[in-house]
Amino acid sequence: MTKDYRRYSYWLDSCGDDLTPREPLPGDRDLDVAIVGGGYTGLWTAYYLARSDPGLRIGVVERDVCGFGASGRNGGWCSALFAASRQRIVAAHGRDAAVAMDKEMRATVDEVARVVAEEGIEADLCKGGTLTLATSPAQAARVRAEVAEEAAWGGDHVWLEPHEVERRVRVASCLGAAYTSHCAALHPARLVRGLARVVEGLGVTIYEQTPALALHEGRVETARGTVKAPVVVRATEGYTPSLAGQRRVLAPVYSLMIVTEPLDDGRRETIGWEGRETLTDGRHLIIYAQRTADGRIAFGGRGAPYHFGSRIEDRFDLDDRVFGELQRVLLQLFPVLQGVRITHRWGGPLGVPRDWFPSVGFDRRTGMAWAGGYVGDGVATTNLAGRTIADLVLERDTDITRLPWVGHRSPRWEPEPLRFIGINAALKAMEMADAAELRTGRPSRRGSFVRRLIGAG
Ligand SMILES: Cc1cc2nc3c(=O)[nH]c(=O)nc-3n(C[C@H](O)[C@H](O)[C@H](O)COP(=O)(O)OP(=O)(O)OC[C@H]3O[C@@H](n4cnc5c(N)ncnc54)[C@H](O)[C@@H]3O)c2cc1C
């Protein structure tokens, strides 16, 4: 029996198609490019390859349906954020490489918007920028420091005083916010489902309900037959550990979300937020929000535990403790939401590399390409990954094939139980740092230490 895919997120439930799976792989096939994974990474790769060379025989092999993974469940922030810290890029590749990465990530937000408009994908995309709120003195210090650092790197970040924030969105206990224009809010599932239809229109074949078992040079073994292709692309992100031989390549870490019912006019007026800026604050354990096109608030955060052995199971998508905490923080920011119904709760795994450094690459000798490890900043980065893989496969030496994440190899994660202990200890430390800052009003040294340790700050 097929799963009811709509129940995996509000976005899949509201994406406007019934998610009936496409036909699976009908047996062995010969292709030019075999892409494993029908999320943004796989589909952007297919898109740019097919657009550049319509003669290529391209197939996407998807275990469930396109958008089943993080691409159909995320917060819908199409942002210029790149997960590896600038300091780390500078240390490994120099200042120019970090500047180039920044520039390309900003351009990528606009590239996603361009394709969405040109291909007629109805993804509710609105480039309203991002607000990073400060709701405690410790957060204010951190957010102000971030504004200064971004300005030094040529970013457009500005500090907004509370009355300036209020003109955009009214949040309780707001001490100010950073604003940058380089982010668009969008409906994630409409983007991924729309993209799947567009690539099919370009002649790409999508095989759904087709689990890949192992990726080899020149072939993908699936539960439904073998696909032979000189180029094989791994686009399975957080699910990568379930492929043969890839258990320690990325660790699946869960992010969870809730969404309110559409707000009534009174509440909408109280909150404002007409510009649909994406919203976060300066705490250590990330939260993220957007006002949806249909007037709801979608609100997510980390904090769910990592599961032993990199296991991924449907039941891990739901964690009452995290949902309770998300609802508490949401009400704290917007007390006017008291009594508003939460209509959907969901979650999903995202891929975290051992050094927090996303990567994309193509080994010409073996024909194996890969991208992933976006650590929760993949909505825009996957587009850059798709363009980069296309250029590498088509042997085009371009600005983007020289970016510092191209060809990067992260070390493997430790074997268990070290992986379990390490990841959960880091998550706990972030939570404790936030609690300590709330109690003392001062920046937590523990939080800064963990951020530095994982390369996030
Ligand atoms: C709750 C949540 C919120 C997030 N919020 C944001 C955000 O606001 N902004 C942002 O930039 N990023 C966000 N992210 C991260 C972002 O969604 C991901 O980085 C991005 O979607 C990754 O796309 P992908 O195609 O690489 O992976 P996925 O979308 O996970 O796609 C992988 C695909 O591979 C398939 N697959 C798995 N195993 C196999 C197999 N054996 N054979 C065949 N197919 C297989 C899966 O079914 C899936 O469809 C969030 C992630 C989550 C989970």
Side-chain angles (χ1 to χ4, degrees):
M1 213 181 69
T2 8
K3 297 178 194 169
D4 177 6
Y5 289 112
R6 283 171 314 181
R7 75 179 174 83
Y8 284 89
S9 72
Y10 161 67
W11 311 116
L12 288 167
D13 194 22
S14 62
C15 71
D17 76 55
D18 67 4
L19 305 173
T20 303
R22 296 170 168 85
E23 289 298 310
L25 184 73
D28 297 350
R29 279 284 177 282
D30 276 313
L31 297 172
D32 297 314
V33 183
I35 298 170
V36 180
Y40 301 140
T41 298
L43 295 169
W44 282 124
T45 303
Y47 177 78
Y48 288 105
L49 279 171
R51 272 260 169 257
S52 305
D53 185 346
L56 283 176
R57 294 169 305 157
I58 305 167
V60 176
V61 173
E62 164 56 47
R63 190 188 60 189
D64 283 277
V65 293
C66 288
F68 171 78
S71 301
R73 310 185 195 192
N74 63 71
W77 281 47
C78 179
S79 82
L81 293 168
F82 183 71
S85 73
R86 249 191 226 114
Q87 287 84 332
R88 194 161 273 184
I89 300 177
V90 172
H93 301 275
R95 194 184 156 86
D96 289 353
V99 170
M101 196 72 220
D102 274 358
K103 187 168 151 259
E104 199 49 53
M105 283 305 302
R106 291 195 285 265
T108 298
V109 176
D110 294 330
E111 170 64 6
V112 173
R114 181 190 71 76
V115 178
V116 160
E118 241 174 66
E119 302 290 356
I121 300 173
E122 286 174 13
D124 298 339
L125 187 145
C126 170
K127 193 180 172 196
T130 295
L131 285 166
T132 305
L133 305 167
T135 55
S136 71
Q139 286 188 21
R142 200 156 43 242
V143 175
R144 276 183 185 278
E146 272 169 29
V147 170
E149 168 166 351
E150 291 300 328
W153 280 87
D156 71 344
H157 294 61
V158 287
W159 171 260
L160 302 182
E161 294 298 336
H163 70 275
E164 294 171 296
V165 179
E166 216 177 291
R167 269 187 236 133
R168 294 173 179 270
V169 56
R170 280 173 285 285
V171 182
S173 326
C174 177
L175 304 178
Y179 176 77
T180 165
S181 67
H182 298 296
C183 187
L186 53 76
H187 187 303
R190 287 197 187 156
L191 173 60
V192 68
R193 302 291 299 172
L195 206 49
R197 284 190 290 274
V198 168
V199 299
E200 274 183 320
L202 296 174
V204 173
T205 312
I206 300 176
Y207 303 107
E208 293 185 333
Q209 309 277 283
T210 304
L213 306 173
L215 279 55
H216 301 284
E217 271 184 53
R219 70 179 204 283
V220 177
E221 279 167 25
T222 83
R224 309 235 181 208
T226 299
V227 181
K228 282 199 201 143
V231 175
V232 171
V233 182
R234 164 167 66 72
T236 43
E237 237 264 317
Y239 300 88
T240 303
S242 60
L243 293 168
Q246 315 249 7
R247 181 156 298 275
R248 287 161 53 200
V249 170
L250 294 169
V253 169
Y254 278 75
S255 200
L256 268 53
M257 294 199 71
I258 58 178
V259 70
T260 67
E261 62 186 326
L263 304 187
D264 55 54
D265 291 348
R267 287 190 170 99
R268 272 166 104 153
E269 222 162 275
T270 307
I271 292 175
W273 210 352
E274 291 306 316
R276 288 190 60 209
E277 297 88 346
T278 52
L279 201 80
T280 182
D281 70 7
R283 79 189 61 214
H284 295 287
L285 201 60
I286 292 167
I287 56 150
Y288 47 91
Q290 71 151 292
R291 216 217 72 190
T292 66
D294 65 345
R296 301 165 185 258
I297 295 180
F299 195 81
R302 307 265 176 86
Y306 160 81
H307 298 277
F308 195 87
S310 295
R311 278 200 334 269
I312 296 174
E313 293 177 23
D314 279 0
R315 66 193 168 97
F316 300 157
D317 298 350
L318 307 174
D319 184 319
D320 285 340
R321 187 188 67 85
V322 178
F323 290 138
E325 184 58 15
L326 288 176
Q327 206 165 338
R328 190 188 66 75
V329 177
L330 179 63
L331 279 176
Q332 207 173 51
L333 295 175
F334 301 106
V336 67
L337 294 182
Q338 192 68 47
V340 163
R341 214 160 52 88
I342 301 297
T343 61
H344 297 68
R345 297 173 172 79
W346 72 95
L350 47 91
V352 180
R354 177 64 179 85
D355 59 0
W356 221 259
F357 206 124
S359 66
V360 58
F362 176 54
D363 182 340
R364 183 157 302 288
R365 191 182 54 79
T366 61
M368 307 290 281
W370 79 92
Y374 311 109
V375 199
D377 289 324
V379 175
T381 319
T382 48
N383 172 280
L384 182 56
R387 283 188 282 141
T388 306
I389 293 176
D391 281 355
L392 292 170
V393 168
L394 299 172
E395 298 190 43
R396 295 194 293 217
D397 179 16
T398 58
D399 286 350
I400 61 173
T401 62
R402 277 176 255 131
L403 289 171
W405 72 319
V406 179
H408 176 81
R409 297 278 190 180
S410 300
R412 291 186 163 243
W413 280 94
E414 288 77 0
E416 299 290 21
L418 289 178
R419 190 157 78 240
F420 178 82
I421 295 167
I423 297 175
N424 284 325
L427 290 169
K428 198 76 213 155
M430 301 280 229
E431 220 173 294
M432 284 165 71
D434 287 327
E437 288 188 354
L438 218 77
R439 247 189 353 262
T440 64
R442 288 194 309 275
S444 154
R445 293 230 292 271
R446 186 204 304 260
S448 317
F449 174 71
V450 177
R451 285 167 84 97
R452 272 204 311 281
L453 197 71
I454 60 181

